[in-house]
Amino acid sequence: MLEGPVFDRLWGIPGAGYAGKMLSMAAKKFGLKCKIFMGAKDIKRQRPNVEAMRKNGAEIVPVTTGSQTLVDAVSECMRYWVSNCDTTHMCVGSTVGPNIFIKICAWSTAQISRELMKQVKEEFGKVPDKLKLINCVGGGSSAAGFWNEFLNTRAQFIGVEAGGPKKSKLHAAPLTNGSKIGILHGAAQYVIQDKEGQIGSTESISAGLDYPGISPLHCFLKDAKRARYTSASDEEALYAYQLVSKLENISPSLEPSHAFAEAIKLAPKLKSSEVIIVNSCGDSLKDKDIIKQKLGSYIR
Amino acid sequence: MKSKIALAFDNCKKEKRPALITYTVAGDNTKNNSLKILNKISKHADILELGFAHNTPIADGGQIQGSSHRALKNGIKLKDVFQIVKKFKKNNLKKPIILMGYFNLIFQNGENNFLKNCKSSGVDGLIIVDLPYPENKSFANKCKKKSINFIQLLSPTTSKERMKKIIKDSHDMVYYISMLSTTGGKLKVSPKKILENYNFIKRINPKKNYVIGFGITDKTISSLKSADGLVVGSLLCKTITNSLKMRQNPVTMLDKVVYNLKKKII
Ligand SMILES: Cc1ncc(COP(=O)(O)O)c(C=O)c1O
């Protein structure tokens, strides 16, 4: 029996729309109302995911303040949630926001590494001595999930942030570029900001990585030197997307293409006994409009 | 020695009315005008809250977001905010001023440096929206040592246990958020219900001064006048927006609106 307020709504925030897509499926399954907050710019550039969410019956709320991307969507979703927390749960699509939301998200994504651990043991009989796990990081949920089971092994973790366009000063890589600690969305973290403490603007070809902050989990992993962080530019990610799509039987979205870009840089320097695993955490279909615009065509 | 904030409440109690507390954003619509606004409305208001704008204001609705945006577009910096307070205090030494904003600006400025600036410009209190209890304990203590009021926030979702702890650690003034909302929301709870909650809180420690804020306008203010103090913010920010739209002087418009608010609670 339920006592107290009845929660009949889920509200969430995805960057690229994956978390929103999953949330809309969950809402449909359990008969809950679902609202997804998305930056107006991201709604345009991630159309396929937006259509999928609508099909599942979710209402998409375009956020038109600020840069019209993830950072503004998170702010707006938090505003709605404090106004409606008696009937509504907030689901944050990455390991960002106040403490508990980070834990819920990281706990959920950790399933990836439980499966990975099983596969690694099947393939190598044990965790290889020289293993690199490469993952893109926006807010950091997918990387946190990819690495979790390997924390107590000797596996190396490499997080790849969005370096933005090659010749631009804008980026979304606070760990790589030495941003200072600040407070954003209820958590202290390394965050792109000016001297006064105003949050800085970001730019990335990848909607899912286009966020000025980064999960406190990753700030800790960086400070503890347990993980290493670097960035890939828009151009490097696009190139990696093309190369991987041509050579492999997968077609990564622009987020994991950042991780593949780092793998492409690293691989020639390694011995054949070393193992690299890249998390191809998204499919390029959602990025078809951006890819078509940048490369002239999109073939899947 | 009693703080200026406590004295302001004492004074209102003598006059058997709630304190009128206004909120405007420093630098809205210009640095000069925001000082002129403070000078004007201080004739009617008992305590002045002055916002220092942040570009990611997660607790604010459209009106205050708009004011913050205008202020930031004018290039407002913390040092300008302190200048405005200093200039205001030159002619209004007794009128309490409370700065309100988000913690990152203080964090980047340096807690100690920020408090030093508060002290030298004459700031009487601080409301830091995203520095909740108990994470605010160390900073609130620093404030206390400098005789600056750190104003704690309570809301309808705060449990009784938590309220007791927060009130125990509070200074002269405690802020009760009337309803589940950002700033600028429509009052969606009846004044009767708000006052019920308010009286419940007041009984925890009747010696503290409790103010109610969020959703208070010229239409709702008189129904809440049994409180120790009432905060009006979004209505004032909206007045500036409207006066700019209609090419009227925001200073005189605000003066009228605040005068009208005061009339409704005496
Ligand atoms: C496919 C994909 N990968 C990665 C991300 C980045 O999020 P996080 O850094 O939380 O893993 C997103 C975000 O939307 C995404 O859609």
Side-chain angles (χ1 to χ4, degrees):
Chain A
M1 206 173 74
L2 273 175
E3 258 187 319
V6 180
F7 290 86
D8 64 352
R9 277 160 227 182
L10 291 169
W11 287 0
I13 335 132
Y18 266 112
K21 205 163 134 185
M22 303 308 150
L23 191 62
S24 66
M25 283 160 65
K28 189 175 170 186
K29 162 97 182 145
F30 293 105
L32 301 168
K33 279 182 228 156
C34 180
K35 254 190 213 224
I36 304 291
F37 288 80
M38 228 171 142
K41 180 176 169 191
D42 290 342
I43 291 182
K44 258 192 222 135
R45 60 176 167 170
Q46 305 284 262
R47 198 166 41 96
N49 275 351
V50 173
E51 280 161 11
M53 287 182 250
R54 286 214 176 99
K55 248 192 219 142
N56 290 329
E59 179 194 342
I60 317 291
V61 183
V63 177
T64 54
T65 48
S67 60
Q68 317 204 344
T69 58
L70 181 55
V71 63
D72 310 291
V74 175
S75 299
E76 197 56 21
C77 191
M78 287 176 118
R79 291 186 188 111
Y80 268 79
W81 182 61
V82 298
S83 308
N84 296 281
C85 59
D86 50 347
T87 56
T88 305
H89 282 300
M90 179 168 79
C91 306
V92 185
S94 187
T95 37
V96 300
N99 185 305
I100 188 65
F101 294 99
I102 294 174
K103 286 178 183 156
I104 293 170
C105 185
W107 179 82
S108 312
T109 54
Q111 179 60 20
I112 310 168
S113 63
R114 286 191 281 272
E115 290 174 20
L116 178 63
M117 182 61 96
K118 203 165 155 248
Q119 289 178 23
V120 164
K121 285 186 177 159
E122 274 165 20
E123 180 81 25
F124 302 103
K126 58 167 190 161
V127 178
D129 285 339
K130 293 207 164 164
L131 171 65
K132 289 180 169 43
L133 299 182
I134 308 183
N135 207 116
C136 61
V137 285
S141 60
S142 137
F146 194 52
W147 298 343
N148 188 65
E149 288 290 300
F150 293 82
L151 272 172
N152 295 326
T153 71
R154 291 170 60 188
Q156 274 183 35
F157 302 153
I158 303 168
V160 188
E161 299 182 300
K166 210 174 180 177
K167 284 193 182 114
S168 160
K169 282 217 170 73
L170 292 174
H171 56 84
L175 293 180
T176 308
N177 295 324
S179 299
K180 284 175 69 181
I181 286 184
I183 290 105
L184 172 65
H185 293 142
Q189 61 199 277
Y190 293 110
V191 55
I192 296 165
Q193 58 183 319
D194 67 11
K195 270 198 188 130
E196 280 274 300
Q198 306 294 351
I199 303 305
S201 35
T202 57
E203 190 177 342
S204 168
I205 192 173
S206 143
L209 306 183
D210 205 351
Y211 185 71
I214 168 79
S215 177
L217 284 173
H218 289 287
C219 300
F220 175 72
L221 290 176
K222 182 192 170 176
D223 286 353
K225 300 200 165 60
R226 180 63 187 90
R228 175 168 80 76
Y229 296 85
T230 182
S231 67
S233 69
D234 286 1
E235 290 78 7
E236 289 167 329
L238 260 179
Y239 171 73
Y241 153 77
Q242 284 174 286
L243 192 66
V244 173
S245 302
K246 197 168 89 188
L247 299 179
E248 304 285 335
N249 198 18
I250 51 171
S251 186
S253 73
L254 292 172
E255 291 84 8
S257 293
H258 284 72
F260 281 113
E262 178 62 16
I264 292 166
K265 273 185 235 172
L266 273 180
K269 299 181 205 157
L270 302 182
K271 294 200 198 78
S272 58
S273 58
E274 298 186 44
V275 178
I276 296 181
I277 306 177
V278 179
N279 184 7
S280 188
C281 54
D283 188 282
S284 69
L285 190 66
K286 74 172 182 62
D287 292 326
K288 67 177 183 194
D289 293 348
I290 306 171
I291 292 167
K292 212 192 271 175
Q293 188 210 339
K294 294 279 176 186
L295 300 175
S297 66
Y298 172 76
I299 310 156
R300 175 81 180 87
Chain B
M1 202 177 74
K2 270 202 167 180
S3 71
K4 293 194 181 82
I5 292 176
L7 289 172
F9 283 111
D10 287 353
N11 197 35
C12 295
K13 267 164 210 156
K14 259 184 238 150
E15 295 179 14
K16 293 196 163 45
R17 61 171 180 88
L20 177 60
I21 299 151
T22 56
Y23 171 91
T24 52
V25 175
D28 183 25
N29 68 324
T30 64
K31 290 172 201 168
N32 251 339
N33 270 357
S34 62
L35 174 63
K36 281 189 198 162
I37 287 170
L38 291 182
N39 280 327
K40 274 271 185 214
I41 63 179
S42 61
K43 303 211 167 40
H44 322 300
D46 301 288
I47 298 173
L48 303 166
E49 281 180 17
L50 186 63
F52 52 99
H54 184 38
N55 69 353
T56 315
I58 49 172
D60 288 308
Q63 296 304 338
I64 294 179
Q65 281 183 52
S67 283
S68 304
H69 185 71
R70 279 195 293 267
L72 289 170
K73 237 173 73 185
N74 289 333
I76 192 91
K77 298 265 160 56
L78 265 184
K79 69 171 178 8
D80 305 313
V81 179
F82 289 123
Q83 272 302 317
I84 292 170
V85 176
K86 202 171 199 164
K87 284 182 186 160
F88 170 79
K89 282 279 180 163
K90 241 185 211 163
N91 308 317
N92 303 275
L93 191 61
K94 283 191 186 145
K95 189 67 73 175
I97 256 198
I98 293 171
L99 291 190
M100 175 160 179
Y102 294 81
F103 189 56
N104 197 37
L105 268 74
I106 299 175
F107 191 65
Q108 301 312 322
N109 199 245
E111 288 182 0
N112 296 333
N113 191 41
F114 181 85
L115 288 177
K116 209 173 73 194
N117 289 328
C118 285
K119 210 63 208 163
S120 64
S121 58
V123 170
D124 298 283
L126 292 171
I127 300 177
I128 311 303
V129 185
D130 57 348
L131 190 62
Y133 186 88
E135 281 80 5
N136 61 30
K137 272 188 173 182
S138 124
F139 185 64
N141 275 333
K142 279 188 189 176
C143 292
K144 197 160 205 170
K145 283 200 188 111
K146 294 237 178 239
S147 308
I148 291 171
N149 257 274
F150 185 91
I151 291 137
Q152 299 279 1
L153 301 165
L154 303 174
S155 85
T157 51
T158 314
S159 69
K160 187 177 178 187
E161 279 318 296
R162 193 171 149 79
M163 275 183 183
K164 279 188 185 160
K165 286 186 200 158
I166 293 176
I167 291 170
K168 193 162 157 271
D169 268 15
S170 69
H171 303 171
D172 298 321
M173 169 175 161
V174 179
Y175 192 126
Y176 177 61
I177 296 167
S178 64
M179 56 179 171
L180 301 179
S181 176
T182 55
T183 58
K186 234 180 124 171
L187 201 64
K188 59 184 179 183
V189 183
S190 72
K192 189 171 155 245
K193 180 75 200 160
I194 294 171
L195 286 174
E196 243 174 67
N197 291 345
Y198 176 88
N199 291 330
F200 174 82
I201 295 165
K202 182 85 186 167
R203 278 196 295 273
I204 295 177
N205 181 351
K207 284 198 197 106
K208 301 273 180 182
N209 300 293
Y210 302 88
V211 306
I212 305 177
F214 284 42
I216 301 183
T217 64
D218 48 340
K219 300 199 173 59
T220 51
I221 193 163
S222 61
S223 59
L224 295 166
K225 66 180 177 187
S226 63
D228 296 333
L230 298 167
V231 188
V232 184
S234 290
L235 174 72
L236 307 186
C237 295
K238 191 170 151 191
T239 303
I240 298 182
T241 305
N242 288 345
S243 58
L244 292 175
K245 253 190 230 156
M246 297 182 302
R247 297 176 178 277
Q248 281 160 329
N249 182 351
V251 182
T252 42
M253 290 288 279
L254 266 188
D255 185 37
K256 270 187 213 159
V257 170
V258 178
Y259 172 74
N260 184 37
L261 286 167
K262 177 69 170 285
K263 266 199 335 201
K264 298 205 163 163
I265 53 169
I266 49 178

